[in-house]
Amino acid sequence: MRRRRTVASAALIFAAAAACAAIANALACPERRLDWVRSAPGRSPATGLPAAPPRVPAALPAEGPAARTAAQFLPHPDKAWLPISPVEAHALFLGGGLFLDARRSAEYRAGHIAGARSIPVWEADLDARLLELANQARDPSAPIVAYCSGGDCEDSHMLAERLWGIGLNNVLVYAAGFPDWQRRGWPVRAGIAP
Amino acid sequence: MNAVSRWLNHPWLTVRVQIALGAIFVAAAIPKIVDPPAFAHMIHNYRILPEWSINAAALWMPWVELLAGLALVLGIARRAAASVAGLLLLAFIGAISLNLARENPVQCGCFDVHAAEKSRGERLDEMRWVVARDAALLLLVGQLFAADRGRAKAPEEIL
């Protein structure tokens, strides 16, 4: 009898916790909200369908810095990402490559690579941000640089897998990340604007 | 009953153990409730749960900690709250021990869910300390059960 009452009370704690979590999550701002079920990397965020088939690389730009960087970093449809060195990341920056910041929004606001867009992999609006990126008319084979906090940070790799899942097959991971970029004195910016 | 066990099961001690344990659980729950994505990231680093379940665990587990902690502090459903606290501690010890065995240095995420700059060695040392600390907390849960058995069907127990 006593054991049954204990089990019932424990079940009540678990159930009340689930209810509180649901309410708190529904009321939280997007930055602090989570989807209850995390979609697996390599699946399209919008549809939940398996990864889109690799697209055929578009024609390379004929000339200019963008042409040089695009020629240097060819698409790799069989791999979600390839690592790049800080010098290569900087070359892509000078060539006008797209940089994506996978860190939390607050870290992005505190400072990011100039021109980088914020796509935090641990926040609830990740799928919406990916969808927005996927819907933009841009060459899917153009190089994209993903970065996070360096060290053992894996957020940029996770972001690269998500991007690969929506058919962007030229994602390059700058593993040394923002601390390295900042240390080298390369352009950074603070605030919500890229 | 000898003097030591009488002292260990004394209501004066039991109330203090119960409040201390409850307060620790409440303090541990609050940072996780405030920033679930950061806690989800910590759970991901443990590499134990399947990817799809990480967010649900990050949302739900801190509230279980908070409610069990509050129940202990307020003396409501003490036996159930102590059982839940014991289960959580066993899960934490198991998760950290598994990663110690794998030599995967993870940040505990127990009271702070924001990543700290630490070397691999520092993290592994911290994990050993966390296992010892959680084992000590488990002893406090054991004290509550022992005292509860001694005064089974006590009138002040609410549930």
Side-chain angles (χ1 to χ4, degrees), chain A residues 104-181:
Chain A
R104 299 291 302 281
S105 302
E107 292 173 288
Y108 176 85
R109 284 196 301 272
H112 55 265
I113 293 177
R117 287 174 58 169
S118 176
I119 305 200
V121 288
W122 287 102
E123 293 176 14
D125 54 357
L126 170 65
D127 287 355
R129 290 183 198 237
L130 287 177
L131 198 60
E132 189 188 339
L133 185 72
N135 288 339
Q136 282 172 355
R138 64 184 306 282
D139 179 1
S141 63
I144 295 175
V145 179
Y147 72 91
C148 56
S149 308
D152 54 4
C153 173
E154 293 179 355
D155 295 352
S156 48
H157 302 85
M158 293 171 74
L159 176 59
E161 287 181 11
R162 295 292 177 113
L163 294 168
W164 186 66
I166 58 173
L168 300 175
N169 54 28
N170 197 359
V171 182
L172 305 158
V173 170
Y174 171 28
F178 185 67
D180 176 74
W181 186 274

Side-chain angles (χ1 to χ4, degrees), chain B residues 71-83:
Chain B
L72 285 169
V73 169
L74 299 173
I76 301 167
R78 281 182 304 211
R79 208 176 141 81
S83 305

Side-chain angles (χ1 to χ4, degrees), chain A residues 50-72:
Chain A
R55 300 184 198 177
V56 178
L60 297 175
E63 52 187 303
R68 283 198 296 277
T69 52
Q72 199 180 343

Side-chain angles (χ1 to χ4, degrees), chain A residues 2-3 5-7 9-10 12-22 24-25 30-41 104 122-124 149 152-155 158 162, chain B residues 33-38 40-41 44-45 47 51-56 58-60 63-64 67-68 71 77 79-81 83-84 87 105 114 117 123 148-149 151-153 157 159:
Chain A
R2 200 153 172 261
R3 180 172 293 179
R5 204 171 51 181
T6 303
V7 170
S9 298
L12 190 65
I13 290 174
F14 287 126
C20 290
N25 194 45
E31 205 174 300
R32 300 271 164 117
R33 198 183 303 143
L34 282 174
D35 295 325
W36 277 87
V37 178
R38 189 170 170 76
S39 50
R104 299 291 302 281
W122 287 102
E123 293 176 14
S149 308
D152 54 4
C153 173
E154 293 179 355
D155 295 352
M158 293 171 74
R162 295 292 177 113
Chain B
I33 288 172
V34 168
D35 195 354
H41 199 169
H44 165 81
N45 291 341
R47 300 186 195 291
E51 197 71 17
W52 58 266
S53 68
I54 287 174
N55 287 4
L59 289 167
W60 181 58
W63 283 97
V64 174
L67 295 184
R79 208 176 141 81
S83 305
V84 171
L87 283 175
H114 295 104
E117 286 291 322
R123 285 215 175 139
D148 186 74
R149 192 169 297 148
R151 53 163 177 67
K153 296 189 174 109
E157 192 169 30
L159 282 173

